[in-house]
Amino acid sequence: RGAPPGGMAPAAPVLLLLLLGRPLLGAPGQGAGTWSRFARLPYPQDQLFLHDTFPDGFLWGAGSAAYQTEGGWRQGGKGASVWDTFAHRPATPPASAPPGPTGGDVASDSYNNLFRDAEGLRRLGVSHYRFSLAWARLLPNGTAPINPAGLDHYRRLLGRLRELGIEPVVTLYHWDLPQTLQDDFGGWASPVLPQLFSDYAELCFRHFGGLVRYWLTMDNPYVVAWHGYGTGRLPPGVQGGPRLGYRAAHHLLQAHAKVWHLYNDHFRPTQKGKVSIALSSHWIKPQRMTEKNIKECQKSLDFVLGWFAKPIFIDGDYPESMRSNLSSLLPEFSEVEKKYIKGTADFFALSFGATLSFQLLDSHMKFQQLESISLRQLLYWISSEYNNPQIFIVENSWFVSGSTKRDDAKYIYYLKKFIMETLKAIRYDGVNVFGYTVWSLLDGFEWHRGYSIRRGLFYVDFQSHDKKLMPKSSVLFYQKLIEKNGFPPLPENQPIEGVFPCGFAWGIVDNYIQVDTTPAQFFDSNVYVWDVHQTKKLIKVDGVFTSRRKRHCVDFAAIRLQISLLQEMHVTHFHFSLKWSSILPLGNLSVVNHTLVHYYQCFASELLRANITPVVALWQPMSENQELPVSLAKCGAWENPETVQAFVEYAKFSFMSLGGHVKFWITMNEPPVKNLTYTAGHNLLKAHAKAWHLYDKEFRRSQKGKISIALQADWVEPACPFSRNDQEVADRILEFDIGWLAEPIFGNGDYPQAMRAWLHRRNSVDLYNFHLPYFSEDEKKLIQGSFDFFALSHYTTTLVGWEKEDALKYDHFLEVQMINDITWLHSPSRAAVVPWGLRKLLKWVKSKYGDVPIYVMANGIDDDHNMVHDKVRVYYIENYINEALKAYTLDNVNLQGYFVYSFNDRTAPKYGLYSYVANQYEPKPSMKHYREIIDSNGFPGPETPKLLCPEEIASCPECHFFRTRKSLLAFVSFIFVAFIVTIFFITYYSKKVERRYK
């Protein structure tokens, strides 16, 4: 969503390729350039979502493994595997594990539901299905005799796939070694295994090869060798240490090469298939970008992926970093073996995701660097390191909690991230990826994690008898993605051209203006003598005074500076808040800070002189006492009804003191609904309404201003767009976050019905004690309609769901799970940059509250004092304004103004358009970019009609005399100029005559 205006155009992939070049033909060690390359990619353009499609003919599929899904462990003559034995050991399940099965005896019961699984594949629309053959189902003892029932099962599966036009991608060995081979020979620790594996492969090629074009000899040999025979964490559970782990890997490589040559020599000419090995890897990033750390990252990949990839794809031998670090632990290949192993893969089959990453990667193999999940960088590294091979991603995804049912939002957004990174690797980096496989088709037994997590597209109730497949939200996501072959550009993702209407308010926000009431030197009535001989200082003369002149606004240097910065920005409006606690320290009119009031008067009048409209908020809550006078804060703050009347008195004083200069009022700016009790909100609404009516009755006619309340309004989007439950959650949060205060004012005078209903349910069912107060009929009439416009502050968008996934981000009272779309651009503070959320919000306000005039009173994002991150703000401002333009132009939203947050870093650190360093203000590039948009009044294009706007004049009482007497001023100016010219000629000729007489 939201392709950026001014961001990456459709030609962006070509542009980035021109800038960065495609990967060179690789060689061992060339992958080390990956980290520095990605560190210098154009930011934030490279991080933006890429709306594009995959190459024609790209393969989309799903996968599964026999032990994880088949079940039927004693059916049809199947023999025991090492995983059967391992899972049957007496063990205490982890406390977090849900009740139910602990091994793969039944699992998803795919053995008895072959057509059920095939129907799931048909529904997805995949081009291929990766599955594994259970060695012990075909050869119960690992060697002859053959089990006919096993042959028949896989023939039926392959036949059904052919009927559906789905390409099988078949794995010969996915960790489930026949137990007999472990008992009799010691499994992969034995040099006998490669030949036995070749015999098993020959059986499979002979019986199934006519139906299979893609073969994988084995899956993830790193896990089999290291954790099966080294650490013993996984079956067969041999704790043989590193030496035995490296020996098992040696035999796995020999076995793979033997099978590849078997197929190449005897089956390829007739079956015309391809053979590879599924290699798994993590990704690693340096703690700091130093040469040493990058070498350690390279070593980490050598020790996990390169351990198997380099012998197969480069030269038949282990990586040099392993050779130099492991000495005699690492077995040797003969020269003959090296030649035999080298080149034994027809494509690079990659497995990446939750099986290895952050789970089965030994910590010492990270070499003190940081594990990451960047698939794109791994793809580039493989391309650079191994001669730009054709890459087939044969396993990829993340996981959700085992308790999550069908709305698997977290899974969707990881899937979206990985597929997006694959697309960027193809389009931006020139990596040759030809297929992608989601793991997995259906929920199953997740190895060492049992049933505590789920990775399937289809939900399986493991407690049920029939084990029906129920599509999750991820099925709909993946289905649509396959249909579109990626993420094609859509009209709503494209920027539009156009301009805002005449009189559109272009503004900037400062929470509180810089107040410096230090008197100028001209206001000092004391007399001083300069001691020029000794101290060189001014010495005050006691008892001697000059007459004190009247204060003038020009006495405040701080005002002149701030006004000049605002003028430089070309804004038409400036929004700031008064400090109630400073103006009326005691909360009433008994003590008034007249100096501060005079300062505010001067600031507002100087803004008007500069043709900038002041937009003034009476109250904005801050951390200390919520910016209330201390006496009110200590007496219950907004919980106390007396605060209502105190606010009205303060509002009246402000209208009387500043109303001559201020025509644009905000009663309350961003009331903190997240930290507001229902009683406090109740009183706050009454205070706003009374202040509005006060202005309406006593000041509007004479001051001719407008007044409303400004609410914080971030958009809330259902995490699963196809889920009715998630939509209900999103609607609920919008009512609690925005509707709570908006509905009484802009709607029917009372709180949202959905809010009352939810609170009633929670109080009655779950024994909560949260009560929403009731308004009297008179109070409803008082509050309803107490607005002149709808003012909102909008910063970001949040995804919400109903399935509890992460306890730290789950709101138990509202039953809402916060979700993060990891493909979104984020600020340094992790605020999501989601421009389309603003447009959706504006449409929502219009749909609920009618054609009310709307002002976006604050919209901004943070940086970290790094100019690189100001580029994010440039992108943010341009794209949010463009979405606002769409709302105005395409959705007919009555949008009348837009304000950026914030003015400068001094008053709002990290959010300013001006930096503040060493007492100096410096404009950031984002300020200049905003100015350009203001000057253009939007985004005019070649076909945009020219907008002829009458001259806009701010309301400046002091300037009225001059504006209404322009002809008189012109005449006086002419007389003055004529007088000066006359004096000049008289003086000139007088001197000339005088010289002549001399």
Side-chain angles (χ1 to χ4, degrees):
R1 290 183 175 175
M8 302 305 296
V14 177
L15 174 62
L16 283 176
L17 284 172
L18 289 173
L19 288 171
L20 300 167
R22 291 177 177 269
L24 299 172
L25 286 180
Q30 282 197 12
T34 302
W35 292 275
S36 60
R37 176 188 187 271
F38 280 87
R40 66 175 187 270
L41 288 178
Y43 181 84
Q45 287 85 351
D46 183 68
Q47 300 295 313
L48 301 178
F49 197 85
L50 173 60
H51 291 279
D52 201 350
T53 55
F54 284 80
D56 292 341
F58 192 81
L59 303 179
W60 295 103
S64 67
Y67 185 75
Q68 291 185 282
T69 59
E70 270 190 4
W73 81 285
R74 283 181 171 174
Q75 286 182 257
K78 178 185 174 295
S81 73
V82 292
W83 265 99
D84 291 318
T85 305
F86 194 78
H88 293 159
R89 296 181 309 174
T92 304
S96 61
T102 56
D105 291 1
V106 179
S108 319
D109 202 21
S110 289
Y111 181 74
N112 296 302
N113 290 280
L114 181 153
F115 288 93
R116 173 204 69 180
D117 294 358
E119 177 59 23
L121 292 165
R122 186 199 63 77
R123 179 170 181 169
L124 283 170
V126 294
S127 56
H128 69 274
Y129 177 44
R130 180 193 169 191
F131 65 95
S132 71
L133 308 174
W135 190 343
R137 191 174 294 285
L138 290 168
L139 299 172
N141 297 315
T143 57
I146 299 171
N147 176 22
L151 285 175
D152 183 58
H153 171 72
Y154 291 119
R155 281 198 188 109
R156 284 190 296 120
L157 174 57
L158 289 167
R160 181 57 180 154
L161 293 177
R162 168 166 279 193
E163 290 173 5
L164 296 173
I166 297 172
E167 189 83 58
V169 178
V170 180
T171 309
L172 294 170
Y173 169 61
H174 202 129
W175 305 7
D176 48 353
L177 184 73
Q179 183 64 43
T180 303
L181 298 185
Q182 182 62 36
D183 294 340
D184 293 350
F185 303 104
W188 291 107
S190 168
V192 175
L193 258 289
Q195 183 56 51
L196 296 179
F197 183 60
S198 178
D199 295 342
Y200 160 61
E202 193 273 339
L203 164 76
C204 297
F205 293 153
R206 182 159 35 89
H207 285 278
F208 310 130
L211 298 173
V212 179
R213 282 200 309 154
Y214 292 100
W215 291 97
L216 299 173
T217 55
M218 57 187 69
D219 182 88
N220 203 339
Y222 165 85
V223 168
V224 175
W226 192 253
H227 292 302
Y229 295 88
T231 68
R233 284 183 64 187
L234 299 179
V238 179
Q239 298 179 8
R243 187 177 298 277
L244 191 63
Y246 290 124
R247 189 195 308 166
H250 204 68
H251 298 148
L252 285 162
L253 276 166
Q254 291 171 328
H256 158 75
K258 204 170 193 63
V259 169
W260 186 89
H261 281 286
L262 169 71
Y263 187 86
N264 193 57
D265 295 343
H266 300 285
F267 295 97
R268 192 190 301 275
T270 56
Q271 297 181 1
K272 303 187 186 312
K274 295 182 178 182
V275 180
S276 189
I277 179 173
L279 300 181
S280 186
S281 185
H282 61 305
W283 182 248
I284 198 89
K285 63 181 182 181
Q287 293 209 34
R288 291 186 306 278
M289 283 294 290
T290 65
E291 187 175 343
K292 178 185 176 184
N293 286 346
I294 288 175
K295 285 182 179 179
E296 295 299 285
C297 289
Q298 181 80 0
K299 190 190 300 182
S300 176
L301 292 173
D302 280 346
F303 269 64
V304 179
L305 178 58
W307 185 3
F308 301 92
K310 182 173 174 287
I312 294 170
F313 289 92
I314 298 297
D315 59 6
D317 201 4
Y318 298 115
E320 183 56 37
S321 60
M322 293 184 74
R323 282 263 172 239
S324 58
N325 279 270
L326 298 174
S327 186
S328 60
L329 282 176
L330 206 58
E332 296 276 351
F333 287 119
S334 68
E335 290 304 314
V336 172
E337 286 177 320
K338 290 178 185 177
K339 291 178 182 177
Y340 191 72
I341 293 170
K342 176 184 175 182
T344 55
D346 300 321
F347 53 91
F348 197 113
L350 176 65
S351 168
F352 182 77
T355 302
L356 182 63
S357 294
F358 296 96
Q359 284 295 313
L360 293 175
L361 176 66
D362 257 21
S363 58
H364 80 273
M365 289 189 180
K366 299 177 189 178
F367 296 95
Q368 299 181 327
Q369 305 307 309
L370 303 174
E371 199 171 354
S372 174
I373 52 170
S374 176
L375 175 57
R376 178 185 171 189
Q377 293 186 50
L378 175 62
L379 290 170
Y380 185 85
W381 185 88
I382 291 169
S383 187
S384 300
E385 192 80 5
Y386 301 120
N387 290 321
N388 195 20
Q390 285 191 312
I391 300 174
F392 192 174
I393 298 172
V394 294
E395 175 183 344
N396 179 239
S397 76
W398 207 241
F399 62 90
V400 293
S401 164
S403 61
T404 298
K405 293 183 170 58
R406 297 177 62 182
D407 286 331
D408 52 344
K410 174 183 168 184
Y411 186 92
I412 288 175
Y413 290 110
Y414 272 94
L415 208 58
K416 183 180 173 186
K417 167 189 164 64
F418 290 134
I419 294 172
M420 171 52 55
E421 290 191 349
T422 303
L423 180 60
K424 287 184 177 180
I426 295 169
R427 297 302 188 194
Y428 288 170
D429 309 327
V431 178
N432 189 357
V433 184
F434 68 89
Y436 180 88
T437 311
V438 167
W439 201 267
S440 63
L441 172 65
L442 67 168
D443 290 334
F445 175 74
E446 290 300 331
W447 308 118
H448 61 295
R449 302 173 82 172
Y451 295 95
S452 65
I453 64 169
R454 293 176 180 268
R455 297 184 67 192
L457 292 168
F458 286 89
Y459 175 81
V460 176
D461 181 357
F462 298 111
Q463 305 292 340
S464 68
H465 175 71
D466 55 5
K467 303 288 189 300
K468 285 184 180 179
L469 289 193
M470 290 178 276
K472 302 181 187 178
S473 292
S474 54
V475 165
L476 298 174
F477 168 79
Y478 194 48
Q479 187 181 58
K480 290 182 179 297
L481 188 143
I482 293 172
E483 285 176 6
K484 297 175 181 177
N485 198 33
F487 310 99
L490 300 172
E492 60 265 32
N493 298 327
Q494 305 304 311
I496 67 167
E497 294 177 344
V499 294
F500 289 93
C502 293
F504 190 78
W506 291 105
I508 190 73
V509 187
D510 207 354
N511 288 336
Y512 297 105
I513 58 174
Q514 178 194 346
V515 175
D516 183 359
T517 57
T518 305
Q521 58 179 329
F522 306 108
F523 193 69
D524 190 352
S525 61
N526 292 294
V527 175
Y528 298 86
V529 174
W530 186 12
D531 185 0
V532 296
H533 297 294
Q534 295 181 11
T535 64
K536 309 292 185 183
K537 295 180 179 178
L538 292 173
I539 301 172
K540 186 167 70 172
V541 179
D542 294 333
V544 180
F545 303 96
T546 63
S547 58
R548 177 174 294 188
R549 71 167 175 80
K550 184 181 177 182
R551 283 182 182 271
H552 297 292
C553 290
V554 293
D555 292 330
F556 299 119
I559 292 179
R560 295 198 301 274
L561 175 59
Q562 291 177 81
I563 299 293
S564 67
L565 295 176
L566 292 168
Q567 287 179 303
E568 184 182 12
M569 202 181 299
H570 298 181
V571 291
T572 63
H573 291 64
F574 180 54
H575 174 31
F576 64 94
S577 301
L578 304 179
K579 284 199 170 189
W580 182 6
S581 62
S582 299
I583 293 173
L584 303 179
L586 300 183
N588 55 47
L589 298 176
S590 63
V591 177
V592 177
N593 188 339
H594 290 288
T595 303
L596 180 58
V597 172
H598 178 63
Y599 188 90
Y600 284 133
Q601 290 170 336
C602 286
F603 199 97
S605 66
E606 291 301 310
L607 282 172
L608 291 172
R609 288 182 186 277
N611 209 23
I612 298 172
T613 301
V615 181
V616 180
L618 294 171
W619 176 68
Q620 173 161 338
M622 299 298 280
S623 54
E624 187 177 0
N625 294 326
Q626 299 182 46
E627 197 44 56
L628 294 171
V630 175
S631 59
L632 296 177
K634 288 183 176 179
C635 294
W638 287 108
E639 298 275 340
N640 187 346
E642 293 183 7
T643 303
V644 175
Q645 190 55 40
F647 180 77
V648 175
E649 292 176 3
Y650 160 60
K652 184 173 184 178
F653 175 80
S654 300
F655 298 151
M656 293 174 64
S657 303
L658 300 169
H661 305 291
V662 178
K663 311 301 178 188
F664 199 141
W665 289 98
I666 302 293
T667 55
M668 298 156 180
N669 194 48
E670 300 184 21
V673 293
K674 301 290 187 186
N675 303 311
L676 207 61
T677 67
Y678 296 129
T679 300
H682 201 68
N683 289 330
L684 190 146
L685 282 166
K686 289 191 283 187
H688 155 77
K690 288 185 176 183
W692 187 89
H693 282 284
L694 170 70
Y695 188 84
D696 191 52
K697 291 175 182 176
E698 298 185 24
F699 297 96
R700 189 188 300 275
R701 183 173 298 175
S702 60
Q703 296 182 1
K704 296 180 172 49
K706 53 188 175 183
I707 183 170
S708 197
I709 188 172
L711 304 176
Q712 180 162 342
D714 287 335
W715 181 243
V716 180
E717 183 80 0
C720 293
F722 320 106
S723 166
R724 182 179 301 174
N725 289 332
D726 281 8
Q727 183 63 60
E728 289 176 0
V729 170
D731 292 341
R732 180 159 67 245
I733 299 303
L734 286 170
E735 294 294 3
F736 271 80
D737 284 1
I738 306 173
W740 175 14
L741 300 182
E743 186 65 26
I745 298 171
F746 300 92
N748 61 11
D750 200 359
Y751 298 114
Q753 184 56 39
M755 191 175 176
R756 283 207 185 278
W758 181 259
L759 289 170
H760 176 74
R761 174 195 151 184
R762 299 296 282 163
N763 290 337
S764 59
V765 176
D766 301 302
L767 303 180
Y768 281 95
N769 191 28
F770 296 114
H771 295 287
L772 200 59
Y774 285 87
F775 294 114
S776 67
E777 290 304 314
D778 287 341
E779 287 173 333
K780 289 180 183 178
K781 291 177 182 177
L782 178 79
I783 296 170
Q784 185 182 20
S786 57
F787 68 91
D788 295 331
F789 51 88
F790 195 116
L792 59 90
S793 300
H794 175 83
Y795 302 99
T796 190
T797 291
T798 304
L799 294 172
V800 295
W802 73 278
E803 293 262 26
K804 183 178 179 182
E805 180 68 33
D806 181 353
L808 295 177
K809 297 181 179 179
Y810 186 79
D811 186 321
H812 290 271
F813 179 70
L814 292 175
E815 295 182 355
V816 57
Q817 177 70 62
M818 304 299 173
I819 303 288
N820 181 33
D821 184 340
I822 50 180
T823 66
W824 284 349
L825 186 65
H826 288 80
S827 74
S829 69
R830 304 304 299 160
V833 179
V834 193
W836 51 260
L838 175 58
R839 182 183 177 189
K840 286 200 168 190
L841 172 68
L842 294 172
K843 289 169 67 177
W844 181 84
V845 171
K846 180 184 177 182
S847 69
K848 278 190 73 72
Y849 305 118
D851 194 31
V852 57
I854 301 176
Y855 289 86
V856 178
M857 295 302 297
N859 180 236
I861 199 168
D862 63 290
D863 59 37
D864 59 358
H865 302 300
N866 184 335
M867 282 301 109
V868 169
H869 288 106
D870 189 60
K871 294 180 181 179
V872 178
R873 185 180 289 108
V874 170
Y875 170 82
Y876 180 100
I877 290 173
E878 177 166 330
N879 287 273
Y880 273 81
I881 294 176
N882 197 267
E883 290 296 320
L885 181 63
K886 290 178 186 178
Y888 168 73
T889 305
L890 305 178
D891 308 323
N892 296 313
V893 172
N894 188 4
L895 185 64
Q896 298 197 1
Y898 171 89
F899 293 64
V900 168
Y901 181 84
S902 168
F903 183 17
N904 62 74
D905 284 341
R906 183 175 184 179
T907 51
K910 300 184 180 182
Y911 282 85
L913 298 193
Y914 284 90
S915 62
Y916 183 74
V917 181
N919 296 321
Q920 294 290 322
Y921 292 95
E922 289 293 334
K924 299 178 184 178
S926 53
M927 187 285 282
K928 298 174 182 176
H929 192 67
Y930 183 41
R931 183 173 64 195
E932 291 173 3
I933 295 173
I934 293 172
D935 291 344
S936 301
N937 199 31
F939 307 93
E943 299 180 6
T944 303
K946 189 169 180 60
L947 197 63
L948 299 175
C949 296
E951 183 182 354
E952 296 171 28
I953 301 172
S955 176
C956 174
E958 293 87 349
C959 305
H960 181 72
F961 174 85
F962 299 102
R963 290 192 186 122
T964 57
R965 293 166 175 80
K966 290 183 178 179
S967 300
L968 176 62
L969 284 173
F971 177 74
V972 170
S973 300
F974 172 77
I975 295 298
F976 178 77
V977 171
F979 174 78
I980 295 298
V981 171
T982 302
I983 294 297
F984 170 79
F985 281 114
I986 290 172
T987 305
Y988 174 79
Y989 284 107
S990 295
K991 290 183 178 180
K992 193 172 183 181
V993 170
E994 189 176 290
R995 284 197 300 271
R996 184 179 299 169
Y997 279 105
K998 287 181 179 179

